[in-house]
Amino acid sequence: LARKQLAEGTHAPGISVVTRSKGNAKLQKTLELYEEKTGERAIIGSWNLVPIKSCPGAKECLSYCYAMQGRFGMASVMAPRFRNLLSIGDARSTMETIRNAIVSWVTANGKRAETAILRFHDSGDFKDQEYVDGVAQGITEARKVFEMLGIKTKLITYAYTKSSHLDLTPLASVGMGIVQSIGGKYDNKINKALPVARVFSLSETVSSPWIDGQNEEHADLLAIEGHSHIALSYHGNAREPEQLRKRSELVQIGERIAA
């Protein structure tokens, strides 16, 4: 379906728009919290890819992937993710796709906004190095277009990722907030100088230095602001997997020993 839509020109790759009453509930709350805290008028959205297929670092999350639960399995929700995936290739084509998607999103929804907040991947991840490089270049080029068009909107980007085996420096160099997700294939390559996140079992207590990024007090502001330890309490529609509960128990034992 997605390939046919692209070929016929009926749909284009793009950013999933979130408003105060529509779209990803966590991003809705993030928008509300950001505007309350900063006093700025903002818009928020997400750029997404197909889950699992574009997640080279996936490991534990394969058993409870949020992007494979509930409404995410519907064709209408999955099609835009396939369109985005089919529209990227090497670094140059990725750059063009990302640049065009950001510019189209902001010009259509945020000309009067002071800030545009873009989360990369509420499904999917940085699939390879060319994609990383292309995304970074696309963000840079989008900002150049804003300047040419006289658009004053500030662009904030951030992402959670398990792709710690890739060189993420290009993303950091364009100001992307990067949160490394623990529980993937490449945990041994996590850069401890950057923020980390971990999914917590429902039976696990969130305590310092961790702060719960799933509650309505913080939402994704923690990622945007670069908090060092972000807890993500399990919230999927499916029953919490036994693997996650056992992993959480081992983590707690390790933390008690370390203390």
Side-chain angles (χ1 to χ4, degrees):
L1 174 62
R3 195 181 299 277
K4 180 181 179 183
Q5 290 172 336
L6 289 172
E8 293 177 346
T10 57
H11 295 73
I15 289 164
S16 298
V17 178
V18 178
T19 68
R20 290 163 184 76
S21 59
K22 181 181 178 182
N24 184 301
K26 185 175 183 180
L27 294 188
Q28 287 183 40
K29 189 62 183 178
T30 301
L31 175 63
E32 178 186 332
L33 292 172
Y34 181 87
E35 290 186 325
E36 287 178 356
K37 185 169 185 177
T38 65
E40 299 173 3
R41 182 173 179 177
I43 59 172
I44 196 166
S46 59
W47 167 268
N48 303 302
L49 299 179
V50 179
I52 300 178
K53 186 176 179 65
S54 59
C55 300
K59 186 179 177 182
E60 293 180 6
C61 55
L62 293 173
S63 65
Y64 57 82
C65 177
Y66 299 137
M68 296 295 290
Q69 297 183 31
R71 68 179 183 85
F72 286 102
M74 298 170 59
S76 60
V77 176
M78 196 62 73
R81 289 158 169 74
F82 271 104
R83 289 198 297 270
N84 288 353
L85 181 61
L86 291 169
S87 299
I88 58 177
D90 60 12
R92 181 173 180 80
S93 65
T94 298
M95 177 276 289
E96 293 172 347
T97 297
I98 295 297
R99 177 198 62 201
N100 294 343
I102 292 174
V103 171
S104 295
W105 169 55
V106 172
T107 54
N109 300 279
K111 280 187 176 180
R112 297 180 182 177
E114 296 168 87
T115 305
I117 304 168
L118 179 57
R119 173 174 172 170
F120 277 82
H121 313 135
D122 63 30
S123 71
D125 203 344
F126 296 107
K127 65 185 189 67
D128 54 40
Q129 192 62 48
E130 285 211 273
Y131 178 58
V132 167
D133 296 344
V135 167
Q137 293 165 20
I139 291 170
T140 297
E141 292 302 312
R143 288 178 172 139
K144 289 180 181 178
V145 175
F146 289 173
E147 187 174 350
M148 289 172 54
L149 297 177
I151 296 174
K152 305 296 184 182
T153 306
K154 174 177 63 178
L155 178 63
I156 294 175
T157 60
Y158 70 100
Y160 294 85
T161 182
K162 287 187 171 73
S163 295
S164 299
H165 62 303
L166 300 176
D167 178 11
L168 304 178
T169 304
L171 300 173
S173 69
V174 297
M176 181 180 289
I178 301 168
V179 181
Q180 304 160 110
S181 296
I182 296 171
K185 291 179 183 177
Y186 305 107
D187 281 5
N188 63 322
K189 296 184 180 296
I190 284 177
N191 181 351
K192 295 182 179 179
L194 297 176
V196 295
R198 178 169 70 80
V199 176
F200 276 51
S201 167
L202 293 173
S203 62
E204 191 173 359
T205 301
V206 177
S207 58
S208 180
W210 298 93
I211 298 181
D212 196 346
Q214 296 289 35
N215 65 31
E216 294 198 348
E217 182 182 353
H218 302 293
D220 266 354
L221 275 189
L222 297 177
I224 293 169
E225 296 174 347
H227 186 75
S228 63
H229 290 73
I230 301 174
L232 302 171
S233 299
Y234 181 76
H235 68 285
N237 294 320
R239 183 179 178 182
E240 182 184 55
E242 183 67 22
Q243 179 185 6
L244 177 59
R245 288 196 291 273
K246 289 182 177 178
R247 195 282 305 272
S248 294
E249 290 171 3
L250 290 174
V251 168
Q252 291 177 79
I253 291 171
E255 289 177 346
R256 286 197 294 271
I257 292 174

